[in-house]
Amino acid sequence: MVAGLVAFAAGIELALAHGPGHPAGTGGVLLLGGPMLYLLAQAWYFRVETGTGWLPRAGGGIVLGAGAVAAYWLPAWAAVAVLVVILLALTAYLACGWTRASARS
């Protein structure tokens, strides 16, 4: 999990170093790859410890991995936009899932 946070921080630093209109390059890959590592580590933890809630996190990690491939050629602002959209969608899904589960009990 810590490696994901460090990769994300390095990605932000590299993405900020590029001016607008230039591809994000390695910074874009790290920008989305860091949260991907974090989510996949969290999915593994949820799978081993609770057996539940790991699939949406693993799916989010896979989608972030696909976004990381595309982020190499995107401008830095677009890579950040892709990250925000993916994480907002995952957050909304997880929030609705917890609401449904708590409503049943």
Side-chain angles (χ1 to χ4, degrees):
M1 286 189 183
V2 174
L5 296 174
V6 171
F8 175 70
I12 288 288
E13 188 71 29
L14 289 172
L16 288 175
H18 292 288
H22 293 88
T26 306
V29 173
L30 290 173
L31 185 68
L32 276 80
M36 177 196 71
L37 286 173
Y38 181 85
L39 279 176
L40 291 177
Q42 193 179 44
W44 175 80
Y45 174 79
F46 271 76
R47 174 77 169 117
V48 169
E49 292 298 321
T50 67
T52 62
W54 65 275
L55 197 54
R57 289 167 178 84
I62 291 168
V63 172
L64 281 170
V69 172
Y72 184 83
W73 293 278
L74 294 174
W77 64 267
V80 171
V82 168
L83 175 67
V84 168
V85 166
I86 293 170
L87 291 181
L88 280 177
L90 178 62
T91 302
Y93 179 81
L94 290 173
C96 289
W98 289 334
T99 304
R100 284 193 302 263
S102 63
R104 281 186 243 144
S105 50

